[in-house]
Amino acid sequence: AARADAALTALLGPGHHVLLTADAGAESRYRRWLAVHRGAVRAVVGTRAAAFAPVRDLGLLALWDDGDQNHREERAPQPHAREVLLLRAVAAGAGLLLGGHSRTAEAAQLVTGGWAGELAAPRATVRERAPAVRTVEERDDARDPAARSARLPSHAWEAVRNALTEGPVLVQVPRRGYVPRLACDRCRHPAGCAHCPGPLQSPGGDAPPRCAWCGRDTEVWHCPECGGSRLRAGVVGARRTAEELGRAFPAVPVRTSGRDHILDTVPDRPAVVVATPGAEPRVEDGPGYAAALLLDGWALLGRPDLRAGEEALRRWLNAAALVRPAPAGGSVVVVLAEPTARPVQALVRWDPAGHAERELGERAELGLPPVTRLAAVTGPPEAVTRLLRATELPSSAQLLGATELEPPPVRGRPPRRGAEPPPGEVWQRALVRSHPADGDALATALRAARAARLAHGDPAVARVRVDPVDIG
């Protein structure tokens, strides 16, 4: 938003547009909203709330990276900025532009259905502008001792070392933090405590693994799946990764960028920049990073979610787009993941459109969103049952479930709003899917049933989310 604000200021001059973000403060946001409402400014830049800005005589609505989960509001009724802009474009007869380095299944559906047209560069331009992508498996032999200390296969180690002679190197890790969760070194099954269901974590140094829930140490551990006795870090956070890379490259500065401290830019000189997805800084006054290293790809691809592959490819492409084009100095992007996985192959070919089309085709065969309308009913088992019994579902509706939800993985962390059961409670989730033409009827029926249960003073009323982002 800040970069778009600066670009519009340079293009239009000051005073012709406003920036609507939460950082501006309530008074400033309201003053800018009034300027838009009165027609004093004709353009608005902002985060997801800006989708509702009362711009007069709409001509164009634009959304960047519609797959980013930050475009989805967590509070009821959970609107997605893409859906809001689609409705406004139809109502106002305005143009709609969805842009990004990747493509979602929802955007692919707009193209394949003929509602939208495709704006894509020719393949020759893509090959000229994109960096080279190499695949490396984590289990490749790392013969170099420094590479082993940084948990890098030897090919990745060589790529980073060579790139540091040309400029900065970006290292993307899936999560922030330091203390890693542990898993079996052989089958990667999560390591659990023998006294409670809590996960094991490494406290650092020579201390034995410790339970994150009950705090007991585990001197001897055996995997319940394969019988293995060796442990490895599941997903190591950004701070721990920065320390490991600092030891591997002692003469090179290491910088981190994450939720607590996000860097906007970094100088165009040799350095290792460790960042979480979405917090990758740009190279200041330079052609881009000399190389990028995408760690722990298996953790992204292995998430039990319908959008795991799509989200992994989106994160990788956003990071790879910050790397110099291959003809500009032999830059390279190294991804540590299974080379045969479809998202990895789409990254190698730089083909997000093809990946989205195949993803959409598979979902159509299975009857999954966005081809169908889906509603998730979540809550205590008796509340889910009562709500579904009181709902007059449309004829095309099909009930899937209910299934029991897993408790929050970390004790003491508050559950996500409406998505996880509180500690100590057992919740269920039922999925109801229908034909897209019956989407309004499905939402209306569930809303009426929930209102009736609230009016009758039901002690526990299940929560309803239409078209949930996380399906599992």
Side-chain angles (χ1 to χ4, degrees), residues 12-406:
L12 305 177
H16 293 281
H17 78 282
V18 295
L19 175 66
L20 294 179
T21 61
D23 298 336
E27 181 180 351
S28 178
R29 287 202 312 273
Y30 184 57
R31 184 167 55 249
R32 297 175 186 179
W33 184 90
L34 286 178
V36 176
H37 182 66
R38 294 166 178 166
V41 294
R42 304 294 302 277
V44 173
V45 176
T47 48
R48 61 174 178 256
F52 295 95
V55 180
R56 293 189 179 185
D57 302 324
L58 268 176
L60 175 68
L61 303 109
L63 180 68
W64 179 258
D65 197 7
D66 67 301
D68 193 325
Q69 63 180 359
N70 290 317
H71 288 307
R72 176 66 179 253
E73 174 61 62
E74 286 297 321
R75 291 167 292 189
Q78 294 101 23
H80 195 291
R82 178 187 58 242
E83 308 305 322
V84 174
L85 296 184
L86 278 168
L87 293 173
R88 293 193 66 180
V90 173
L96 174 66
L97 176 64
L98 299 180
H101 299 297
S102 62
R103 184 177 297 183
T104 61
E106 286 78 6
Q109 186 183 36
L110 296 176
V111 175
T112 57
W115 193 93
E118 182 181 56
L119 297 175
R123 291 303 302 176
T125 304
V126 173
R127 285 191 292 269
E128 178 184 350
R129 298 298 303 168
V133 180
R134 294 174 55 186
T135 60
V136 178
E137 288 193 71
E138 284 191 334
R139 293 187 180 275
D140 286 356
D141 181 30
R143 292 178 292 275
D144 195 308
R148 285 198 299 270
S149 69
R151 79 178 196 282
L152 300 182
S154 57
H155 300 301
W157 160 263
E158 290 293 337
V160 173
R161 185 171 61 180
N162 294 336
L164 284 173
T165 62
E166 304 292 334
V169 173
L170 174 64
V171 180
Q172 185 193 71
V173 294
R175 55 161 290 173
R176 63 187 184 93
Y178 185 90
V179 178
R181 295 289 187 264
L182 298 176
C184 177
D185 183 62
R186 184 187 301 172
C187 69
R188 288 185 176 149
H189 182 76
C193 177
H195 304 280
C196 74
L200 292 183
Q201 65 183 20
S202 173
D206 298 328
R210 181 172 302 161
C211 178
W213 289 11
C214 67
R216 299 186 183 182
D217 293 340
T218 300
E219 300 290 346
V220 180
W221 178 85
H222 293 284
C223 178
E225 295 294 324
C226 67
S229 59
R230 298 184 61 182
L231 292 167
R232 59 161 288 161
V235 180
V236 177
R239 286 197 298 134
R240 176 67 174 265
T241 302
E243 289 187 8
E244 293 177 351
L245 291 172
R247 291 192 294 268
F249 303 98
V252 179
V254 179
R255 309 186 69 180
T256 60
S257 179
R259 188 180 70 179
D260 299 329
H261 178 63
I262 297 179
L263 302 175
D264 186 45
T265 60
V266 293
D268 186 21
R269 53 176 179 264
V272 175
V273 181
V274 181
T276 53
E280 300 93 345
R282 294 177 175 268
V283 178
E284 187 177 14
D285 299 328
Y289 289 96
L293 184 60
L294 311 176
L295 293 181
D296 298 326
W298 63 270
L300 292 176
L301 296 176
R303 293 189 309 121
D305 188 77
L306 175 67
R307 305 176 190 272
E310 178 184 285
E311 176 65 11
L313 180 59
R314 186 189 73 83
R315 295 183 178 187
W316 293 340
L317 286 171
N318 286 346
L322 301 176
V323 179
R324 303 170 185 174
S331 58
V332 64
V333 175
V334 181
V335 54
L336 272 68
E338 172 57 46
T340 59
R342 183 191 300 171
V344 177
Q345 288 300 309
L347 174 65
V348 172
R349 298 190 303 270
W350 206 276
D351 185 24
H355 181 272
E357 290 176 2
R358 286 187 290 272
E359 187 80 9
L360 181 64
E362 288 190 355
R363 295 190 193 179
E365 293 179 3
L366 300 174
L368 295 173
V371 182
T372 60
R373 284 295 188 187
L374 194 71
V377 181
T378 308
E382 61 279 3
V384 174
T385 302
R386 285 195 298 266
L387 183 63
L388 292 176
R389 286 177 179 175
T391 306
E392 296 182 6
L393 296 174
S395 58
S396 66
Q398 183 181 9
L399 181 63
L400 307 176
T403 59
E404 186 174 309
L405 291 180
E406 295 183 359

